[in-house]
Amino acid sequence: MKYYFRSITEELFQLHDKLRKQWPGLSRIAVAIYDNETDILHTFIKSSPDEELLNHYSVQLKDVPSLVELANSGECRIMQDLMVLQQNDSVHSKVISQHFKSSYTEPFYVAGDLLGFVFYDADECGYFTDELIDHLQTYSRLIESLIVSEILPIKTLVALMNVTQEITNLRDSETGKHLIRMAHYMELIAIELAEEYGFTDEQIEYIWCYAPLHDIGKIAISDSILLKPGRHTAEETKIMRTHVVEGLKMVDRMLQNFSFQQFHHIDILKDIIGSHHEWYDGSGYPNGLKGDEIPIVGRIAAVADVFDALISNRVYRAGWSFDEVVDYLKAGKGKQFDPKCVDALIRNEDKIKEINNNFQDIYNV
């Protein structure tokens, strides 16, 4: 299944086309989104002749001092000769300097917090005149408005769900760090499968944002069942499994009550919640879907969720080793898991270990 909707990327291409009629040397516009909790800057949307340029790229902001300086100052940056970037060690600096000659960058914020950067690149040195910059600043406000109109409601929805979760004292495996790690793992898998399933950076950002809500329906499950340390009875298991449907109901209520119905990418969230407990062989729940009947984001979430649950320490047990978890996932290929999703995750062993180390829960086990 592929996700089709009127995207911000399409809007950006239209804006870029208009700009190039007057300034044909303006060869690229790109936007990166910043996540304050993880200090990660993600590529989000871009308009350029080379669609593979810095595709699905992310970096910690602290590793890009020049952008940290811009974020702190709120000022714009003009670089009339990008040859100076070739001295930098970062991947994106070298790539940009190889493809473009000059650039103009603006940070943008929401309620005083950094949300990201807008980048304009040209194929001529000294291209960014005062006249062009004045014009681009107007376009930047429009681009930022488009992004805020998409990202801010998502952040609000996630925050509402998180507050509800905290108020109801939901405390099983859904720790904050688990949710961050799972979002990372889903992102890794989605990037690996991007070409086959047509995932854009914009869609991968939505997957990243929505991943923490995968089990939000557990709020509706009583603590006596949710937090039971031993094995559930058949009746308790039946009740426990209702959290999927309850989660979808919660999303629908949130969408209605807070006027989020216009989300054109809400199917990504619903598919994550509604299908990440389906099994590839059809023996999962709630609908017994099989193989490609299961939405691809649900298949991705299933692998990411189980991987993190097994490898992570819990108050009642130590986490499994990486090799033990990989063996479990491999054994479940074609049964519980989509083989492509399993392979996509375990191909990223170094990144997995880095994520696991960076976002650790503290337990005495």
Side-chain angles (χ1 to χ4, degrees):
M1 176 180 178
K2 293 185 178 181
Y3 295 92
Y4 298 99
F5 48 78
R6 178 69 175 178
S7 65
I8 308 179
T9 302
E10 292 172 306
E11 302 280 358
L12 188 68
F13 267 100
Q14 288 189 355
L15 291 175
H16 193 184
D17 286 342
K18 291 180 181 179
L19 280 168
R20 286 184 67 116
K21 289 178 181 178
Q22 187 171 356
W23 286 280
L26 189 65
S27 50
R28 178 178 182 262
I29 305 175
V31 177
I33 297 294
Y34 178 66
D35 181 72
N36 182 64
E37 190 168 8
T38 61
D39 190 46
I40 290 178
L41 196 64
H42 297 259
T43 58
F44 181 51
I45 56 175
K46 57 184 179 294
S47 169
S48 66
D50 185 357
E51 286 303 301
E52 298 303 313
L53 184 65
L54 291 178
N55 224 18
H56 316 313
Y57 181 75
S58 63
V59 65
Q60 286 201 288
L61 183 61
K62 67 179 179 62
D63 294 331
V64 192
S66 61
L67 292 183
V68 172
E69 184 178 346
L70 287 186
N72 292 336
S73 69
E75 297 177 354
C76 303
R77 180 184 68 184
I78 305 169
M79 300 187 71
Q80 299 287 23
D81 187 350
L82 292 178
M83 286 292 291
V84 297
L85 293 180
Q86 293 187 8
Q87 303 172 6
N88 293 2
D89 294 330
S90 62
V91 172
H92 61 277
S93 293
K94 292 183 181 298
V95 170
I96 292 298
S97 64
Q98 289 168 0
H99 286 78
F100 307 107
K101 301 298 183 182
S102 57
S103 74
Y104 171 69
T105 305
E106 288 191 40
F108 62 99
Y109 308 81
V110 171
D113 294 326
L114 179 69
L115 185 57
F117 297 89
V118 182
F119 303 94
Y120 300 92
D121 299 303
D123 53 17
E124 298 176 23
C125 290
Y127 195 75
F128 292 92
T129 63
D130 290 343
E131 180 187 5
L132 174 55
I133 290 172
D134 286 344
H135 207 79
L136 291 180
Q137 287 176 342
T138 300
Y139 272 78
S140 292
R141 302 293 84 74
L142 178 57
I143 292 170
E144 291 162 15
S145 296
L146 287 171
I147 292 168
V148 169
S149 69
E150 292 289 325
I151 297 299
L152 193 57
I154 294 175
K155 289 182 177 292
T156 302
L157 178 62
V158 172
L160 285 169
M161 293 292 196
N162 287 341
V163 169
T164 303
Q165 180 171 302
E166 290 171 6
I167 290 173
T168 56
N169 199 34
L170 176 57
R171 291 292 185 271
D172 69 334
S173 63
E174 308 305 295
T175 65
K177 296 294 179 63
H178 163 72
L179 301 178
I180 292 172
R181 290 190 302 266
M182 184 178 168
H184 275 290
Y185 298 143
M186 286 192 68
E187 179 189 37
L188 286 178
I189 299 171
I191 289 172
E192 287 286 321
L193 300 179
E195 183 174 353
E196 179 172 357
Y197 290 96
F199 290 137
T200 64
D201 283 332
E202 184 180 347
Q203 290 168 324
I204 291 172
E205 182 70 18
Y206 298 141
I207 291 171
W208 159 276
C209 290
Y210 287 140
L213 301 181
H214 65 288
D215 268 341
I216 194 67
K218 286 183 178 179
I219 292 172
I221 307 300
S222 68
D223 285 353
S224 62
I225 295 176
L226 183 66
L227 305 180
K228 182 178 178 179
R231 187 180 296 275
H232 289 125
T233 66
E235 183 60 26
E236 288 170 338
T237 298
K238 183 178 179 180
I239 294 171
M240 186 71 177
R241 289 184 173 186
T242 63
H243 79 273
V244 173
V245 174
E246 292 297 330
L248 293 173
K249 289 179 180 177
M250 288 179 189
V251 170
D252 286 336
R253 286 196 292 270
M254 289 285 188
L255 294 177
Q256 182 177 358
N257 293 337
F258 294 93
S259 301
F260 292 152
Q261 297 97 324
Q262 76 277 12
F263 278 15
H264 51 243
H265 41 73
I266 200 66
D267 283 348
I268 294 176
L269 172 59
K270 290 185 175 181
D271 284 345
I272 290 173
I273 293 174
S275 63
H276 75 282
H277 284 296
E278 300 285 0
W279 281 35
Y280 199 72
D281 65 3
S283 62
Y285 67 93
N287 297 312
L289 301 179
K290 183 177 181 180
D292 290 347
E293 295 174 353
I294 307 168
I296 180 57
V297 291
R299 286 177 267 155
I300 291 172
V303 172
D305 191 27
V306 171
F307 177 87
D308 191 70
L310 294 178
I311 205 168
S312 301
N313 291 328
R314 293 288 178 258
V315 291
Y316 51 85
R317 64 156 174 83
W320 294 13
S321 71
F322 177 83
D323 289 340
E324 287 173 329
V325 179
V326 167
D327 287 343
Y328 180 88
L329 294 180
K330 286 181 176 179
K333 287 168 62 172
K335 300 174 184 177
Q336 183 173 359
F337 308 114
D338 181 341
K340 292 179 182 178
C341 294
V342 172
D343 293 341
L345 181 65
I346 64 180
R347 278 196 297 267
N348 288 275
E349 179 176 351
D350 290 343
K351 292 180 180 179
I352 290 169
K353 291 180 177 178
E354 181 180 358
I355 291 166
N356 195 252
N357 289 333
N358 287 344
F359 303 102
Q360 276 292 313
D361 294 299
I362 306 302
Y363 293 121
N364 294 316
V365 294

